[in-house]
Amino acid sequence: MIRALIVEDEPAEAQRLTEYVRRYGDTRGETFQITWLKSAMEMLSDKSPYDLVLLDIDLPGISGMEAAQLLRVYDEATPIIFVTNLAKYAVKGYEVGATGFIIKPVNWGNLSMNLDRALRAIRQNVGRTVMVPTDDGVRVVPFSQLVYVEVTGHRLTYHLEDGSSLEARGSLGQLEDELSGAPVIRISKSCVANMDKIVLVRPQGMQMSTGVTLPISRTRKREVMDAVTDYLGSRR
């Protein structure tokens, strides 16, 4: 399922976009969960994670372009398609890494072409970015920076390559679903590790790239060792 956000202050345009996106999903065999917001302020206040943003520029208050610039401060990966009647902003759109730029009125051919491009970007990001819903908003973390995640109660702690960490509510089961297809392994009841960050496997546990050694639970030891050995061997 692809989580799409439409930011458009004109209800008729939002309805048109919604219908086209659903039609696109039907023709491509994709399921879209669509959210509609009417302003950039609502977009920036919304802490929900999205896979795709269709963003008008001429919005009340903060413009869509300004919102995109703020979004890129903490999220460099999520595809943005500008949908606007302001053609003069096309160049600026690519300055914030926009995936596409559509001039109103939206037509099916133009939108489907841009959605094709966005879908390729989304598929490239699968397993390569992690949505972390912190108290300050959703952080998009490149998977390459994630070392391991541990849970305490209902709080997840994401340990990153630079030694920093992020905390968020959630469960390891939800995280494993989000990272389906990525090289992660549950090594204990309370810890999931990125197999790309394993530098040494020892009897007492796995040494990670940050220097920490993560213990492997006795009940999972054989499963973990087999999975890690197969994965590391396949990278050679």
Side-chain angles (χ1 to χ4, degrees):
M1 182 179 64
I2 298 173
R3 299 161 294 189
L5 173 64
I6 294 173
V7 186
E8 170 60 67
D9 62 324
E10 298 179 22
E13 291 292 339
Q15 181 63 31
R16 184 200 302 265
L17 279 171
T18 298
E19 291 174 357
Y20 277 161
V21 171
R22 293 198 191 285
R23 176 181 167 187
Y24 177 87
D26 291 341
T27 62
R28 299 298 195 277
E30 297 284 351
T31 301
F32 283 84
Q33 176 183 299
I34 302 171
T35 300
W36 171 39
L37 298 177
K38 297 180 181 180
S39 71
M41 283 297 296
E42 289 181 293
M43 167 186 159
L44 295 172
S45 299
D46 187 1
K47 296 182 179 181
S48 304
Y50 295 101
D51 303 303
L52 168 66
V53 178
L54 293 100
L55 178 61
D56 189 11
I57 292 180
D58 190 14
L59 294 169
I62 297 176
S63 73
M65 186 62 66
E66 292 170 318
Q69 291 169 340
L70 292 171
L71 176 66
R72 285 298 185 236
V73 171
Y74 59 88
D75 178 358
E76 298 179 0
T78 299
I80 298 172
I81 297 175
F82 285 112
V83 185
T84 182
N85 53 15
L86 300 174
K88 64 181 182 180
Y89 286 111
V91 174
K92 283 191 175 181
Y94 294 108
E95 290 177 357
V96 295
T99 300
F101 198 97
I102 301 174
I103 304 299
K104 295 179 180 178
V106 177
N107 65 66
W108 165 249
N110 200 347
L111 181 61
S112 61
M113 179 183 67
N114 279 272
L115 287 176
D116 280 343
R117 190 181 304 121
L119 199 62
R120 287 194 295 270
I122 290 168
R123 286 170 175 163
Q124 288 172 358
N125 288 336
V126 171
R128 298 184 185 181
T129 59
V130 186
M131 302 287 192
V132 183
T134 68
D135 295 334
D136 298 325
V138 177
R139 287 280 304 277
V140 181
V141 178
F143 181 75
S144 59
Q145 295 181 15
L146 183 67
V147 180
Y148 66 100
V149 183
E150 57 185 346
V151 64
T152 304
H154 298 289
R155 299 290 293 183
L156 294 174
T157 302
Y158 296 74
H159 296 270
L160 307 183
E161 186 83 64
D162 62 3
S164 65
S165 62
L166 297 170
E167 290 195 2
R169 289 185 61 82
S171 71
L172 288 183
Q174 292 171 334
L175 178 67
E176 287 175 311
D177 288 342
E178 180 184 347
L179 294 178
S180 177
V184 296
I185 184 74
R186 176 84 74 102
I187 63 171
S188 68
K189 184 178 180 180
S190 61
C191 186
V192 168
N194 180 352
M195 290 192 284
D196 281 335
K197 301 301 178 182
I198 299 171
V199 296
L200 188 62
V201 179
R202 295 176 170 176
Q204 63 268 38
M206 297 185 305
Q207 184 178 336
M208 309 303 289
S209 58
T210 53
V212 67
T213 297
L214 302 177
I216 304 171
S217 68
R218 186 181 308 171
T219 56
R220 295 178 181 268
K221 195 159 191 175
R222 173 166 292 185
E223 175 189 349
V224 170
M225 295 299 290
D226 288 346
V228 170
T229 300
D230 289 345
Y231 178 71
L232 295 181
S234 69
R235 291 194 306 174
R236 294 178 181 175

